[in-house]
Amino acid sequence: MAALKRVIELVETLYPLSYAEDWDHPGLVVGDLDRQVSTIAFAVDPTMEVIDQALACQADLLICHHPLLFRSVHAVSGLDVHGAMVSKLYRGGCGLWVGHTNADASHRGVGQAAADAFGLVDQRPLVPLPGLSQQGQPVGLGRLGRLPQALPLADFASRVAQALPANHMGVQVAGDLEAPVSTVVVLPGSGDSLFDEVRSCGADVYVTSDLRHHPATDAIEQARYEASLREGGDDAGSPARPALINTPHSAIEGLWLSYAMEDVPQAITAACGEGPEVIRLGLNTDPWDLSIPCIG
């Protein structure tokens, strides 16, 4: 077994904190650096139910994608839920480390895991981190790639839905459902801030999450307008692009856990001669419990 301090050092070679966005603060949230780590639990969100399951499994460390504390706090007492979570983790002897936008950007990170799950090849980051690479590969936010063989948009959307873990929300699609899809951008998490980057790369479809009504409407209307301007040109008859596929936020990011559960214990074993037991906490942590179609 290795001490938590050493385990975190190794985890952060896989998901360097320097890859995080300026506003983000991933890393170790809770933990006794001297505690020995023999069992690591993995989940997308550090909810109270996830923490309870991690403690029931006698995990020494919980690795999550989403931070417990998104914004600055001035107290972690039992007067609010976050303080209660911190207290429960400490009392249970379980550390909490989160890999957020640093894990998004990393090699075999959140973006690559989703793009691989959807069958993309010839991948590269949508927004590269200048001058940075892992294992000789560029790193950065989002993944731009292509399908080995073009698919109708509806068929590709079905592939996306089938690759995601079970959830109550499903996926939403905007675009010509019969249009062929070849070039794809994937950005797990909230992605409507990068429409300009997606449009400039000429992707056929953009797969992301949390698309709000007005940005999504503007994006698809702009795509249709640009397609209308191509009428009579060399690109006449081409569909509006990018089409949009909106996925449940935690579901798409949960695809990363299969890579993390391989890479983290391998890194620890290589450095320490012995690896931890790993456990995936298979909870659906997207917040919605029911989705009802509105049929009028």
Side-chain angles (χ1 to χ4, degrees):
M1 292 190 295
L4 177 62
K5 183 176 187 296
R6 179 59 173 148
V7 168
I8 295 307
E9 290 172 350
L10 295 168
V11 170
E12 290 176 359
T13 64
L14 299 171
Y15 315 109
L17 300 187
S18 61
Y19 290 3
E21 298 290 288
D22 291 341
W23 53 265
D24 196 18
H25 301 284
L28 187 65
V29 179
V30 172
D32 176 352
L33 295 178
D34 295 324
R35 183 179 177 87
Q36 299 296 297
V37 175
S38 61
T39 302
I40 302 177
F42 291 79
V44 179
D45 295 278
T47 65
M48 190 69 82
E49 187 178 8
V50 164
I51 291 170
D52 286 340
Q53 283 201 2
L55 296 179
C57 296
Q58 299 184 317
D60 306 297
L61 175 62
L62 172 61
I63 290 180
C64 290
H65 176 53
H66 286 140
L68 177 64
L69 307 169
F70 266 101
R71 297 174 179 84
S72 298
V73 298
H74 302 285
V76 285
S77 70
L79 295 176
D80 74 357
V81 67
H82 294 120
M85 290 176 175
V86 169
S87 176
K88 182 173 284 193
L89 286 164
Y90 267 119
R91 286 187 285 109
C94 183
L96 171 63
W97 183 91
V98 299
H100 194 217
T101 56
N102 58 314
D104 287 336
S106 295
H107 175 67
R108 285 176 60 87
V110 182
Q112 184 179 344
D116 288 348
F118 303 151
L120 302 192
V121 298
D122 298 334
Q123 297 177 29
R124 60 178 175 84
L126 175 67
V127 184
L129 293 175
L132 296 176
S133 66
Q134 281 180 304
Q135 300 185 22
Q137 300 296 318
V139 295
L141 290 179
R143 302 295 288 182
L144 168 63
R146 65 176 180 84
L147 295 172
Q149 184 173 359
L151 291 173
L153 174 60
D155 291 353
F156 178 66
S158 294
R159 175 184 290 189
V160 169
Q162 290 166 10
L164 297 176
N167 63 83
H168 297 291
M169 295 304 296
V171 302
Q172 296 80 46
V173 184
D176 180 350
L177 299 182
E178 299 301 320
V181 166
S182 179
T183 306
V184 180
V185 169
V186 178
L187 182 74
S190 301
D192 59 20
S193 64
L194 292 180
F195 276 134
D196 288 343
E197 290 81 354
V198 175
R199 187 180 299 112
S200 67
C201 76
D204 297 318
V205 63
Y206 182 31
V207 185
T208 188
S209 303
D210 295 345
L211 290 179
R212 295 171 294 166
H213 176 87
H214 294 296
T217 299
D218 286 348
I220 199 68
E221 287 296 298
Q222 179 68 24
R224 289 166 177 158
Y225 174 69
E226 291 176 359
S228 72
L229 296 180
R230 293 193 293 268
E231 293 300 327
D234 293 339
D235 203 17
S238 64
R241 56 178 181 259
L244 306 176
I245 298 179
N246 189 46
T247 69
H249 188 123
S250 289
I252 190 171
E253 291 178 327
L255 296 171
W256 167 61
L257 298 183
S258 60
Y259 281 2
M261 289 180 65
E262 292 180 5
D263 297 343
V264 168
Q266 285 178 4
I268 296 171
T269 300
C272 304
E274 182 180 3
E277 178 186 359
V278 294
I279 299 170
R280 179 169 185 164
L281 304 179
L283 294 169
N284 170 25
T285 53
D286 276 300
W288 314 111
D289 295 314
L290 180 64
S291 177
I292 302 173
C294 302
I295 58 176

